[in-house]
Amino acid sequence: MKFSKTTSFMLTLAVFITLNLNAQSIEGTRQGLKFATQNMDIQIEFYSNNIVRVFKIPQGVPYNKKSLSVVKSPETISIKTTQKGNKTLLESSSIQVEVNPETGGISFYDSNGKLLLKDKDFGTQFSATDDAGTPSYTVREGFLLDSDEAIYGVGQIMDNKFSRRNSSHHMQNENMSTYSPYFMSVKGYAVFWDNYSISKFNDNAQELSFEGLGHCADYYFMYGKNADGVVAQVRDLTGKAPMLPLWAYGFFQSKERYHTEDESLDVLKKYRNLKIPIDVVIQDWRYWPEFNKSDSLWNSQSFDRQRFPNPKKWADEIHKLNAKLLIVTWPGFGPKTEQRKEFDSKKMIINFDTWPPNSGARPYDVYNPEALDIYWRYLNKGIFSYIGNDGWWLDSTEPDHINRKDSDYDLPTHLGSYRSVKNAYSLMHNKGIAVNQRKANDNKRAVILTRSGFIGQQLYGSNTWSGDVVSSWEMLEKQIPAALNYTLMGIPNWNSDIGGFFADRWKKDGGNKNPEFQELYVRWMQFGAFCPMMRSHGTDLPREIWNFGERGTWCFDAQEKSIKLRYSLLPYIYSTSWDVSNNNGTFMRPLIMDFVSDKNTHNIGSEYLFGRSILVAPVTKYKSKEWSVYLPNGIDWYNFWTNAYIKGGQTIVSESAVDQIPLYIKAGSILPFGPKVQYATEKKWDQLEIRIYPGADGEFVLYEDENDNYNYEKKMYSIIKFKWEDKTRMLTIEDREGTFPGMLKSRIFKIIVAGPDTAVGDSPGEASKNISYNGKKTVLKL
């Protein structure tokens, strides 16, 4: 997709009606209205039939807001305006907005008049404050929710809770804490408070509120009827998620750190010799020169000549081994780097200490568009155009802040004090890399691994990881609801360090051979196999598979099983990626996305659907041979490992052998399984196994393209729709739609109808049928 330019807010000049009610003047605008009350100027504007912007400023203090997240311009739609007593009602085809001009209260309803949310009467406050010498305000916005209304979002929060009701959070993006001022309701709406300052979220019995620094109260109400609809509205407002290349869904290996070219190459070669699938190796920090054994050249975006004497050849060798290379780059620069000298000369440094300690490193000003281009110029020359790496690890995108002083937050940036824009740092840094890479090479999709995020970052294909988490069972458990709340903000790509980053506690009693650490690592890897990115990383103990034992030992074999399962599911995962990009889908789907009518799901953050068919219940306790799993009501389920058929609407006890994560498949699902491969693109999908899980009607869309580049935006892809009619047991494979260079003209589908005699790994026997498919509609009775 082409990256849209952020649009400025402009008051519409066209005036259609003027009403005088109780001395409150309401002025109609092209797609809304504006009025003054409670010493505020308020404007309500429909951006679409489903999205309403509410913009408030202190009366007589105009402010031209330029959003960093919103890329949508208001659509031209039909708005009906009527009076209800002393109130004004605005109606689109999807929502109604009722305005009280005396109190400033705003109520949102669906098209049938069902109340969704109230912006409180007298609920907005502007308190004058000094922002580093600039007059500003502490802005507070309060809402009223139903007492039993579950809400989600707010960010990636490591408190092991799913619903965000009755919680309070200091929203400041740091390592392991990633916030956006946003919440989603089970009632099918969401609110994005468009503010980037260090801020507060609070929900209690009296109200839900946001509070932060700024010159306006600016929020967007989005109605989608359900969670999928809300995510679609978020992406409509702040940007759709682009496709990532197929290889980005393979297995990633890294550590802190590979010291030389040969070290990472040897790791890759060993995976290949062991025939363990892998697609990516990542180069962590200090591949650059270390001046006089110091970090004064930190992040010079160049290579140390002793340890990386021929980086172009190194990257070429990785590519010859059919793998990809991600390179780390940081937002901070040591004082002896050329980048730092230029940024200093142009006043584009935010002058506080960032990582590493005692280095003199400082972060650059990502809020300055020129600074983003300068950053890319060095990165492109020193790395991207030089060695042809395949993606980026953008570490410390909060950024790290050490030797912290409160006055640091008063430091100037291009857009105001650091305090007022801090939480958008990652958004802007990721934007600079993604947009500029596409300008430099339109044939390579941007792949970015990043440690922080903000709403809108999905537009740049970024995959946020959960930060430098500790290696513990408790932390593994916390990853799941944190990930689910993060993805409900419309940002689909998330992952974690498999095994946890800090593993020093496990050095005793054998380190990698410690039985509890081995089991923790295996369970985390099983979870990682059902995340948008599957990536092994950490410090203190090495994470490559052979460090845990040899093939034939349980820990090695369990890891290999998870990795190979991931690769067998690549056709399903890549098709899900298309669903995410084209249909605003979600990889990690909390149960409330598909089963909101089952109230038992409203507080379950320990399991989820991966794509639209596979229920995943990660095991997060040591020595667990059994695991409780809730199977939502409204559909029946299959045990993935045994194909046992189970009624929904109940909690079951699932066997959880150490090499098996509990997985359940929705009745009516159609799952494609790919060939055995050593890397994602090794073999064409000319022979796919198609598993059908009876019990309900179902469909699946198999997506294929050139596996990289942006030609899919030009309709250069194909889709094949599979439809299962349960009553007649008829499978219809529709005519193939679309075409692209290198597309298969014909193929073999092995069709398997799931049942107890077709458990995974068993001979499918009589339930199997091979068919030839040449792109023409095929109907089978099974």
Side-chain angles (χ1 to χ4, degrees), residues 388-426:
N389 60 301
D390 306 284
W392 305 103
W393 181 359
L394 304 186
D395 207 342
S396 183
T397 51
E398 302 85 17
D400 275 310
H401 191 166
I402 59 178
N403 304 319
R404 193 175 304 220
K405 303 184 294 293
D406 190 63
S407 59
D408 290 344
Y409 297 102
D410 295 332
L411 291 168
T413 76
H414 185 71
L415 295 180
S417 74
Y418 180 53
R419 189 190 316 273
S420 69
V421 291
K422 174 184 167 46
N423 283 347
Y425 195 99
S426 180

mmCIF file of all heavy atoms in Angstrom, residues 388-426:
data_model
loop_
_atom_site.group_PDB
_atom_site.id
_atom_site.type_symbol
_atom_site.label_atom_id
_atom_site.label_comp_id
_atom_site.label_asym_id
_atom_site.label_seq_id
_atom_site.Cartn_x
_atom_site.Cartn_y
_atom_site.Cartn_z
ATOM 1 N N GLY A 388 22.359 -4.980 1.385
ATOM 2 C CA GLY A 388 21.114 -5.578 0.932
ATOM 3 C C GLY A 388 20.440 -6.425 1.995
ATOM 4 O O GLY A 388 19.927 -7.519 1.695
ATOM 5 N N ASN A 389 20.433 -5.956 3.231
ATOM 6 C CA ASN A 389 19.726 -6.687 4.283
ATOM 7 C C ASN A 389 18.226 -6.676 4.012
ATOM 8 O O ASN A 389 17.720 -5.899 3.189
ATOM 9 C CB ASN A 389 20.031 -6.090 5.655
ATOM 10 C CG ASN A 389 19.616 -4.642 5.767
ATOM 11 O OD1 ASN A 389 20.087 -3.792 4.999
ATOM 12 N ND2 ASN A 389 18.733 -4.336 6.697
ATOM 13 N N ASP A 390 17.499 -7.517 4.742
ATOM 14 C CA ASP A 390 16.098 -7.771 4.411
ATOM 15 C C ASP A 390 15.104 -7.123 5.363
ATOM 16 O O ASP A 390 13.894 -7.158 5.106
ATOM 17 C CB ASP A 390 15.866 -9.285 4.394
ATOM 18 C CG ASP A 390 16.848 -9.975 3.468
ATOM 19 O OD1 ASP A 390 16.652 -9.901 2.245
ATOM 20 O OD2 ASP A 390 17.827 -10.571 3.975
ATOM 21 N N GLY A 391 15.598 -6.572 6.456
ATOM 22 C CA GLY A 391 14.684 -5.939 7.395
ATOM 23 C C GLY A 391 15.451 -5.321 8.544
ATOM 24 O O GLY A 391 16.698 -5.352 8.587
ATOM 25 N N TRP A 392 14.690 -4.777 9.501
ATOM 26 C CA TRP A 392 15.284 -3.980 10.574
ATOM 27 C C TRP A 392 14.778 -4.417 11.929
ATOM 28 O O TRP A 392 13.606 -4.754 12.100
ATOM 29 C CB TRP A 392 14.930 -2.495 10.377
ATOM 30 C CG TRP A 392 15.319 -1.977 9.044
ATOM 31 C CD1 TRP A 392 14.503 -1.740 7.979
ATOM 32 C CD2 TRP A 392 16.649 -1.667 8.602
ATOM 33 N NE1 TRP A 392 15.234 -1.283 6.911
ATOM 34 C CE2 TRP A 392 16.558 -1.225 7.261
ATOM 35 C CE3 TRP A 392 17.896 -1.705 9.214
ATOM 36 C CZ2 TRP A 392 17.662 -0.844 6.516
ATOM 37 C CZ3 TRP A 392 19.010 -1.321 8.484
ATOM 38 C CH2 TRP A 392 18.889 -0.890 7.146
ATOM 39 N N TRP A 393 15.706 -4.376 12.863
ATOM 40 C CA TRP A 393 15.339 -4.489 14.257
ATOM 41 C C TRP A 393 15.525 -3.099 14.851
ATOM 42 O O TRP A 393 16.643 -2.635 15.035
ATOM 43 C CB TRP A 393 16.247 -5.502 14.960
ATOM 44 C CG TRP A 393 15.930 -5.691 16.405
ATOM 45 C CD1 TRP A 393 14.981 -5.063 17.128
ATOM 46 C CD2 TRP A 393 16.590 -6.593 17.289
ATOM 47 N NE1 TRP A 393 14.996 -5.508 18.425
ATOM 48 C CE2 TRP A 393 15.974 -6.453 18.547
ATOM 49 C CE3 TRP A 393 17.636 -7.505 17.145
ATOM 50 C CZ2 TRP A 393 16.380 -7.180 19.664
ATOM 51 C CZ3 TRP A 393 18.034 -8.230 18.250
ATOM 52 C CH2 TRP A 393 17.408 -8.073 19.483
ATOM 53 N N LEU A 394 14.410 -2.421 15.112
ATOM 54 C CA LEU A 394 14.456 -1.083 15.683
ATOM 55 C C LEU A 394 14.328 -1.216 17.203
ATOM 56 O O LEU A 394 13.230 -1.291 17.750
ATOM 57 C CB LEU A 394 13.338 -0.211 15.116
ATOM 58 C CG LEU A 394 13.301 -0.075 13.594
ATOM 59 C CD1 LEU A 394 12.238 0.931 13.175
ATOM 60 C CD2 LEU A 394 14.660 0.316 13.026
ATOM 61 N N ASP A 395 15.463 -1.272 17.859
ATOM 62 C CA ASP A 395 15.483 -1.456 19.310
ATOM 63 C C ASP A 395 15.286 -0.118 20.004
ATOM 64 O O ASP A 395 15.519 0.955 19.425
ATOM 65 C CB ASP A 395 16.808 -2.088 19.738
ATOM 66 C CG ASP A 395 16.688 -2.879 21.027
ATOM 67 O OD1 ASP A 395 15.700 -2.675 21.766
ATOM 68 O OD2 ASP A 395 17.579 -3.706 21.302
ATOM 69 N N SER A 396 14.833 -0.183 21.252
ATOM 70 C CA SER A 396 14.779 0.982 22.136
ATOM 71 C C SER A 396 13.939 2.108 21.544
ATOM 72 O O SER A 396 14.299 3.276 21.631
ATOM 73 C CB SER A 396 16.207 1.477 22.415
ATOM 74 O OG SER A 396 16.229 2.556 23.306
ATOM 75 N N THR A 397 12.788 1.775 20.978
ATOM 76 C CA THR A 397 12.010 2.808 20.292
ATOM 77 C C THR A 397 11.076 3.573 21.227
ATOM 78 O O THR A 397 10.155 4.255 20.775
ATOM 79 C CB THR A 397 11.211 2.212 19.118
ATOM 80 O OG1 THR A 397 10.461 1.074 19.568
ATOM 81 C CG2 THR A 397 12.142 1.784 18.010
ATOM 82 N N GLU A 398 11.348 3.506 22.536
ATOM 83 C CA GLU A 398 10.558 4.337 23.468
ATOM 84 C C GLU A 398 11.054 5.776 23.553
ATOM 85 O O GLU A 398 10.203 6.663 23.688
ATOM 86 C CB GLU A 398 10.574 3.707 24.872
ATOM 87 C CG GLU A 398 10.055 2.299 24.931
ATOM 88 C CD GLU A 398 11.126 1.274 24.603
ATOM 89 O OE1 GLU A 398 12.322 1.639 24.645
ATOM 90 O OE2 GLU A 398 10.790 0.134 24.283
ATOM 91 N N PRO A 399 12.292 6.150 23.544
ATOM 92 C CA PRO A 399 13.503 5.333 23.610
ATOM 93 C C PRO A 399 13.969 5.137 25.057
ATOM 94 O O PRO A 399 13.421 5.732 25.986
ATOM 95 C CB PRO A 399 14.517 6.194 22.850
ATOM 96 C CG PRO A 399 14.101 7.596 23.187
ATOM 97 C CD PRO A 399 12.594 7.576 23.310
ATOM 98 N N ASP A 400 15.025 4.281 25.235
ATOM 99 C CA ASP A 400 15.633 4.131 26.551
ATOM 100 C C ASP A 400 16.009 5.501 27.118
ATOM 101 O O ASP A 400 16.468 6.380 26.388
ATOM 102 C CB ASP A 400 16.907 3.277 26.460
ATOM 103 C CG ASP A 400 16.610 1.794 26.526
ATOM 104 O OD1 ASP A 400 15.885 1.373 27.443
ATOM 105 O OD2 ASP A 400 17.114 1.056 25.658
ATOM 106 N N HIS A 401 15.854 5.627 28.420
ATOM 107 C CA HIS A 401 16.122 6.905 29.089
ATOM 108 C C HIS A 401 16.843 6.586 30.395
ATOM 109 O O HIS A 401 16.246 6.030 31.319
ATOM 110 C CB HIS A 401 14.791 7.615 29.354
ATOM 111 C CG HIS A 401 14.916 9.036 29.787
ATOM 112 N ND1 HIS A 401 13.845 9.906 29.789
ATOM 113 C CD2 HIS A 401 15.978 9.773 30.235
ATOM 114 C CE1 HIS A 401 14.227 11.097 30.222
ATOM 115 N NE2 HIS A 401 15.521 11.028 30.507
ATOM 116 N N ILE A 402 18.108 6.899 30.476
ATOM 117 C CA ILE A 402 18.878 6.600 31.679
ATOM 118 C C ILE A 402 19.370 7.898 32.320
ATOM 119 O O ILE A 402 19.298 8.963 31.703
ATOM 120 C CB ILE A 402 20.065 5.653 31.365
ATOM 121 C CG1 ILE A 402 21.011 6.263 30.327
ATOM 122 C CG2 ILE A 402 19.547 4.310 30.855
ATOM 123 C CD1 ILE A 402 22.221 5.379 30.033
ATOM 124 N N ASN A 403 19.823 7.779 33.567
ATOM 125 C CA ASN A 403 20.189 8.977 34.353
ATOM 126 C C ASN A 403 19.059 10.001 34.282
ATOM 127 O O ASN A 403 19.269 11.201 34.087
ATOM 128 C CB ASN A 403 21.493 9.586 33.842
ATOM 129 C CG ASN A 403 22.633 8.576 33.851
ATOM 130 O OD1 ASN A 403 22.764 7.794 34.789
ATOM 131 N ND2 ASN A 403 23.444 8.576 32.797
ATOM 132 N N ARG A 404 17.865 9.502 34.464
ATOM 133 C CA ARG A 404 16.648 10.270 34.206
ATOM 134 C C ARG A 404 16.483 11.439 35.176
ATOM 135 O O ARG A 404 16.654 11.292 36.372
ATOM 136 C CB ARG A 404 15.453 9.318 34.314
ATOM 137 C CG ARG A 404 14.159 9.834 33.785
ATOM 138 C CD ARG A 404 13.095 8.742 33.837
ATOM 139 N NE ARG A 404 13.530 7.534 33.114
ATOM 140 C CZ ARG A 404 12.754 6.795 32.355
ATOM 141 N NH1 ARG A 404 11.506 7.135 32.195
ATOM 142 N NH2 ARG A 404 13.217 5.720 31.763
ATOM 143 N N LYS A 405 16.115 12.587 34.626
ATOM 144 C CA LYS A 405 15.768 13.777 35.409
ATOM 145 C C LYS A 405 14.407 14.273 34.911
ATOM 146 O O LYS A 405 14.118 14.198 33.712
ATOM 147 C CB LYS A 405 16.818 14.879 35.243
ATOM 148 C CG LYS A 405 18.231 14.468 35.603
ATOM 149 C CD LYS A 405 19.206 15.628 35.501
ATOM 150 C CE LYS A 405 19.374 16.132 34.065
ATOM 151 N NZ LYS A 405 20.040 15.150 33.200
ATOM 152 N N ASP A 406 13.591 14.796 35.813
ATOM 153 C CA ASP A 406 12.284 15.277 35.407
ATOM 154 C C ASP A 406 12.406 16.394 34.371
ATOM 155 O O ASP A 406 11.564 16.512 33.476
ATOM 156 C CB ASP A 406 11.497 15.778 36.622
ATOM 157 C CG ASP A 406 10.046 16.059 36.269
ATOM 158 O OD1 ASP A 406 9.329 15.108 35.886
ATOM 159 O OD2 ASP A 406 9.638 17.234 36.355
ATOM 160 N N SER A 407 13.473 17.167 34.477
ATOM 161 C CA SER A 407 13.662 18.264 33.519
ATOM 162 C C SER A 407 13.924 17.757 32.105
ATOM 163 O O SER A 407 13.760 18.509 31.138
ATOM 164 C CB SER A 407 14.822 19.162 33.966
ATOM 165 O OG SER A 407 16.025 18.419 34.065
ATOM 166 N N ASP A 408 14.327 16.489 31.974
ATOM 167 C CA ASP A 408 14.536 15.928 30.631
ATOM 168 C C ASP A 408 13.260 15.996 29.799
ATOM 169 O O ASP A 408 13.314 16.135 28.570
ATOM 170 C CB ASP A 408 14.993 14.467 30.718
ATOM 171 C CG ASP A 408 16.401 14.309 31.267
ATOM 172 O OD1 ASP A 408 17.139 15.311 31.300
ATOM 173 O OD2 ASP A 408 16.744 13.182 31.668
ATOM 174 N N TYR A 409 12.118 15.889 30.463
ATOM 175 C CA TYR A 409 10.849 15.874 29.727
ATOM 176 C C TYR A 409 10.454 17.263 29.235
ATOM 177 O O TYR A 409 9.539 17.402 28.426
ATOM 178 C CB TYR A 409 9.752 15.274 30.601
ATOM 179 C CG TYR A 409 10.041 13.831 30.952
ATOM 180 C CD1 TYR A 409 10.533 13.483 32.210
ATOM 181 C CD2 TYR A 409 9.860 12.822 30.014
ATOM 182 C CE1 TYR A 409 10.829 12.164 32.523
ATOM 183 C CE2 TYR A 409 10.143 11.499 30.320
ATOM 184 C CZ TYR A 409 10.633 11.180 31.573
ATOM 185 O OH TYR A 409 10.923 9.871 31.874
ATOM 186 N N ASP A 410 11.166 18.289 29.723
ATOM 187 C CA ASP A 410 10.939 19.656 29.239
ATOM 188 C C ASP A 410 11.756 19.965 27.997
ATOM 189 O O ASP A 410 11.594 21.033 27.389
ATOM 190 C CB ASP A 410 11.299 20.673 30.330
ATOM 191 C CG ASP A 410 10.394 20.576 31.542
ATOM 192 O OD1 ASP A 410 9.234 20.156 31.380
ATOM 193 O OD2 ASP A 410 10.846 20.927 32.647
ATOM 194 N N LEU A 411 12.646 19.051 27.622
ATOM 195 C CA LEU A 411 13.529 19.314 26.485
ATOM 196 C C LEU A 411 12.722 19.535 25.206
ATOM 197 O O LEU A 411 11.678 18.908 24.996
ATOM 198 C CB LEU A 411 14.507 18.147 26.300
ATOM 199 C CG LEU A 411 15.560 18.001 27.400
ATOM 200 C CD1 LEU A 411 16.275 16.660 27.279
ATOM 201 C CD2 LEU A 411 16.568 19.152 27.329
ATOM 202 N N PRO A 412 13.204 20.402 24.336
ATOM 203 C CA PRO A 412 12.438 20.713 23.127
ATOM 204 C C PRO A 412 12.563 19.635 22.052
ATOM 205 O O PRO A 412 13.605 19.000 21.899
ATOM 206 C CB PRO A 412 13.062 22.030 22.653
ATOM 207 C CG PRO A 412 14.475 21.964 23.146
ATOM 208 C CD PRO A 412 14.411 21.249 24.472
ATOM 209 N N THR A 413 11.480 19.427 21.320
ATOM 210 C CA THR A 413 11.481 18.652 20.078
ATOM 211 C C THR A 413 10.876 19.545 19.004
ATOM 212 O O THR A 413 10.421 20.656 19.278
ATOM 213 C CB THR A 413 10.644 17.363 20.194
ATOM 214 O OG1 THR A 413 9.250 17.698 20.135
ATOM 215 C CG2 THR A 413 10.930 16.611 21.484
ATOM 216 N N HIS A 414 10.833 19.049 17.792
ATOM 217 C CA HIS A 414 10.271 19.804 16.677
ATOM 218 C C HIS A 414 8.797 20.141 16.908
ATOM 219 O O HIS A 414 8.289 21.128 16.360
ATOM 220 C CB HIS A 414 10.424 18.985 15.396
ATOM 221 C CG HIS A 414 9.990 19.688 14.144
ATOM 222 N ND1 HIS A 414 10.701 20.732 13.602
ATOM 223 C CD2 HIS A 414 8.912 19.493 13.331
ATOM 224 C CE1 HIS A 414 10.096 21.146 12.508
ATOM 225 N NE2 HIS A 414 9.003 20.418 12.318
ATOM 226 N N LEU A 415 8.107 19.330 17.721
ATOM 227 C CA LEU A 415 6.673 19.511 17.926
ATOM 228 C C LEU A 415 6.313 19.980 19.332
ATOM 229 O O LEU A 415 5.140 19.965 19.703
ATOM 230 C CB LEU A 415 5.932 18.201 17.631
ATOM 231 C CG LEU A 415 5.974 17.709 16.182
ATOM 232 C CD1 LEU A 415 5.192 16.409 16.035
ATOM 233 C CD2 LEU A 415 5.418 18.773 15.227
ATOM 234 N N GLY A 416 7.296 20.386 20.105
ATOM 235 C CA GLY A 416 7.005 20.825 21.462
ATOM 236 C C GLY A 416 7.854 20.068 22.464
ATOM 237 O O GLY A 416 8.823 19.392 22.105
ATOM 238 N N SER A 417 7.486 20.167 23.727
ATOM 239 C CA SER A 417 8.279 19.499 24.752
ATOM 240 C C SER A 417 8.251 17.988 24.547
ATOM 241 O O SER A 417 7.276 17.424 24.037
ATOM 242 C CB SER A 417 7.742 19.829 26.146
ATOM 243 O OG SER A 417 6.533 19.133 26.397
ATOM 244 N N TYR A 418 9.334 17.343 24.984
ATOM 245 C CA TYR A 418 9.394 15.881 24.897
ATOM 246 C C TYR A 418 8.236 15.259 25.666
ATOM 247 O O TYR A 418 7.629 14.270 25.222
ATOM 248 C CB TYR A 418 10.738 15.407 25.445
ATOM 249 C CG TYR A 418 10.945 13.924 25.423
ATOM 250 C CD1 TYR A 418 10.779 13.191 24.255
ATOM 251 C CD2 TYR A 418 11.318 13.230 26.584
ATOM 252 C CE1 TYR A 418 10.978 11.819 24.234
ATOM 253 C CE2 TYR A 418 11.514 11.862 26.566
ATOM 254 C CZ TYR A 418 11.340 11.154 25.394
ATOM 255 O OH TYR A 418 11.534 9.792 25.382
ATOM 256 N N ARG A 419 7.868 15.830 26.793
ATOM 257 C CA ARG A 419 6.766 15.322 27.604
ATOM 258 C C ARG A 419 5.457 15.273 26.803
ATOM 259 O O ARG A 419 4.648 14.362 26.964
ATOM 260 C CB ARG A 419 6.586 16.234 28.817
ATOM 261 C CG ARG A 419 5.613 15.736 29.871
ATOM 262 C CD ARG A 419 5.324 16.830 30.909
ATOM 263 N NE ARG A 419 6.516 17.526 31.346
ATOM 264 C CZ ARG A 419 7.299 17.131 32.343
ATOM 265 N NH1 ARG A 419 7.000 16.038 33.004
ATOM 266 N NH2 ARG A 419 8.372 17.841 32.673
ATOM 267 N N SER A 420 5.269 16.257 25.929
ATOM 268 C CA SER A 420 3.990 16.388 25.229
ATOM 269 C C SER A 420 3.838 15.434 24.049
ATOM 270 O O SER A 420 2.720 15.251 23.544
ATOM 271 C CB SER A 420 3.808 17.828 24.744
ATOM 272 O OG SER A 420 4.727 18.131 23.699
ATOM 273 N N VAL A 421 4.934 14.808 23.609
ATOM 274 C CA VAL A 421 4.861 13.945 22.415
ATOM 275 C C VAL A 421 5.543 12.596 22.608
ATOM 276 O O VAL A 421 5.621 11.803 21.680
ATOM 277 C CB VAL A 421 5.487 14.651 21.185
ATOM 278 C CG1 VAL A 421 4.633 15.832 20.739
ATOM 279 C CG2 VAL A 421 6.922 15.103 21.473
ATOM 280 N N LYS A 422 6.012 12.310 23.798
ATOM 281 C CA LYS A 422 6.853 11.132 24.030
ATOM 282 C C LYS A 422 6.265 9.829 23.509
ATOM 283 O O LYS A 422 6.967 9.018 22.893
ATOM 284 C CB LYS A 422 7.148 10.969 25.525
ATOM 285 C CG LYS A 422 7.901 9.668 25.815
ATOM 286 C CD LYS A 422 8.139 9.403 27.256
ATOM 287 C CE LYS A 422 8.591 7.985 27.496
ATOM 288 N NZ LYS A 422 9.631 7.481 26.593
ATOM 289 N N ASN A 423 4.978 9.601 23.759
ATOM 290 C CA ASN A 423 4.421 8.287 23.459
ATOM 291 C C ASN A 423 4.352 7.974 21.973
ATOM 292 O O ASN A 423 4.149 6.820 21.589
ATOM 293 C CB ASN A 423 3.043 8.141 24.098
ATOM 294 C CG ASN A 423 3.125 7.881 25.588
ATOM 295 O OD1 ASN A 423 4.189 7.567 26.120
ATOM 296 N ND2 ASN A 423 2.006 8.025 26.276
ATOM 297 N N ALA A 424 4.543 8.976 21.115
ATOM 298 C CA ALA A 424 4.518 8.740 19.665
ATOM 299 C C ALA A 424 5.916 8.529 19.096
ATOM 300 O O ALA A 424 6.074 8.459 17.867
ATOM 301 C CB ALA A 424 3.846 9.906 18.946
ATOM 302 N N TYR A 425 6.930 8.406 19.962
ATOM 303 C CA TYR A 425 8.306 8.292 19.454
ATOM 304 C C TYR A 425 8.449 7.087 18.512
ATOM 305 O O TYR A 425 8.975 7.199 17.404
ATOM 306 C CB TYR A 425 9.301 8.183 20.610
ATOM 307 C CG TYR A 425 10.729 8.430 20.186
ATOM 308 C CD1 TYR A 425 11.318 9.675 20.379
ATOM 309 C CD2 TYR A 425 11.497 7.440 19.571
ATOM 310 C CE1 TYR A 425 12.627 9.923 19.978
ATOM 311 C CE2 TYR A 425 12.794 7.680 19.163
ATOM 312 C CZ TYR A 425 13.359 8.920 19.366
ATOM 313 O OH TYR A 425 14.658 9.158 18.951
ATOM 314 N N SER A 426 7.975 5.932 18.951
ATOM 315 C CA SER A 426 8.107 4.727 18.125
ATOM 316 C C SER A 426 7.359 4.867 16.809
ATOM 317 O O SER A 426 7.852 4.457 15.752
ATOM 318 C CB SER A 426 7.587 3.511 18.896
ATOM 319 O OG SER A 426 7.710 2.331 18.133
#
